[in-house]
Amino acid sequence: MTTNEAAEPAPPGQTLIASPGLAGWLAENRASLALTTYQAGRLIFLGLRPDGTLRAHERLLEQCQGLWTDGDTLWASGKAMLWRFRNDVPPGMATAHGADRRFIPREARVTGRLDIHDIGIGQMAGMAAPGPIFVNTAFSCLATLSDTASFRPLWRPPFISALAPEDRCHLNGLAMDGTRPAYVTAISRSDVADGWRERRVDGGVVLDVTSGEVVASGLSMPHSPRLHGGRLWVLNSGRGELGVVDPGDGRFTPVAFCPGYARGMAFVGRWVVVGLSRPRRNHTFEGLPLEGLLQAKDSAARCGLLVVDTITGETAHWLRFEHTIDELYDVAALPGVRQAEAIGFIGTDIERAISVEKAAQA
């Protein structure tokens, strides 16, 4: 990839452009970013080289969507698997490219094609110990891993009458409150196979997981609910809006306009990083309010990232994919990490990635 800040040589036909201040913002906030794109099947890390210029590092991961990391462990969903990666760089050390995190694939759970969206780590009824909790979009439920089956269902919206692989409401987003699932987003309250597609414009809802109640409705394809600073943030993707929901009265208050189909949200201090996609030209995205709103602003949908000030709503920095990558799904922040990379599944790197667990002290 290339940027206007002297990044690595780009693969043919792929260009990444960043605002001039993005590298400085990452350095100032001592953070790097991870993002997923299922359309191009990539797990991407954006960080800084030792000389302070941007470095984008990627690995292929088929239909990569959901993403969770605490900086040392990373979970990512694929087409039919849920992957767990683990950092093997000791504190104070770095790889040959200057990365202070190197994620190695340590576990791949075969789930089948569940269309896994958001991922959290925590515990709820039905789990013996904390672990991954993911949005199983195909079966319209929250689920976790099973040692004997594709998944273990944990919770489903009250309006979903049966557990079936029918993507009835397009459940997609999960907001964690610490280790507890707090809120989810869905495109509709449909209880028939693929029924959400008829309600894309205004059928979107936010649900309280504990009570099962709808706390906000009338949204357009909502995604990526997140709790931050005592507020519930949601992307009203069909209108290109970043905003907050008041669970008390259900009101959605826009904070910023996003010039693209918004999915993926991560917080770095007072800043929020939002992922943008170019809508596909098919029935899923046609006829959304976003199209007219972009035309009114004489703009076109873009794929990339926005860094938005949560206090003012102003865009401080941005990044754009000009070729190859048209859609992003998730975004995660890695606080205190300057640069991250991952090992691929084939080649000498993974063959040599051997480490020994320290024995417990007697």
Side-chain angles (χ1 to χ4, degrees), residues 151-340:
F151 67 95
R152 177 185 299 171
L154 298 172
W155 177 92
R156 68 175 188 256
F159 51 77
I160 298 296
S161 60
L163 197 67
E166 297 175 345
D167 188 9
R168 297 181 177 186
C169 64
H170 205 69
L171 194 71
N172 57 53
L174 171 62
M176 299 291 292
D177 185 2
T179 60
R180 179 183 67 87
Y183 297 97
V184 295
T185 49
I187 304 303
S188 78
R189 283 178 272 195
S190 171
D191 191 31
V192 299
D194 205 40
W196 60 273
R197 295 185 188 277
E198 284 70 48
R199 297 303 316 279
R200 296 171 300 117
V201 173
D202 60 2
V205 292
V206 180
L207 290 90
D208 184 312
V209 174
T210 300
S211 67
E213 295 180 355
V214 172
V215 298
S217 60
L219 301 173
S220 181
M221 298 189 76
H223 282 81
S224 310
R226 305 287 187 263
L227 287 168
H228 179 76
R231 296 196 286 178
L232 174 58
W233 294 79
V234 175
L235 294 175
N236 195 25
S237 307
R239 296 185 59 87
E241 294 173 333
L242 161 70
V244 292
V245 165
D246 184 340
D249 61 15
R251 182 177 303 176
F252 174 81
T253 303
V255 173
F257 178 73
C258 304
Y261 189 79
R263 271 180 311 207
M265 179 162 44
F267 290 87
V268 179
R270 64 182 279 184
W271 314 96
V272 57
V273 184
V274 178
L276 302 178
S277 298
R278 298 183 188 94
R280 283 167 279 166
R281 297 302 174 189
N282 60 21
H283 179 63
T284 300
F285 294 97
E286 287 180 350
L288 293 176
L290 175 62
E291 185 175 359
L293 293 168
L294 285 168
Q295 290 176 354
K297 294 179 181 292
D298 195 21
S299 182
R302 63 179 65 172
C303 177
L305 301 174
L306 290 184
V307 179
V308 178
D309 187 329
T310 59
I311 298 175
T312 66
E314 296 179 353
T315 297
H317 306 286
W318 51 266
L319 178 142
R320 293 169 65 173
F321 292 97
E322 293 294 286
H323 300 288
T324 305
I325 296 174
D326 290 320
E327 299 180 21
L328 300 181
Y329 179 75
D330 215 349
V331 180
L334 291 87
V337 177
R338 185 177 181 85
Q339 181 187 142

Side-chain angles (χ1 to χ4, degrees), residues 111-135:
T111 61
R113 195 163 185 172
L114 302 181
D115 198 16
I116 294 174
H117 281 57
D118 284 10
I119 302 169
I121 300 297
Q123 189 171 8
M124 61 188 304
M127 299 175 65
I133 299 170
F134 54 84
V135 179

Side-chain angles (χ1 to χ4, degrees), residues 132-143:
I133 299 170
F134 54 84
V135 179
N136 182 340
T137 301
F139 282 80
S140 308
C141 70
L142 295 182

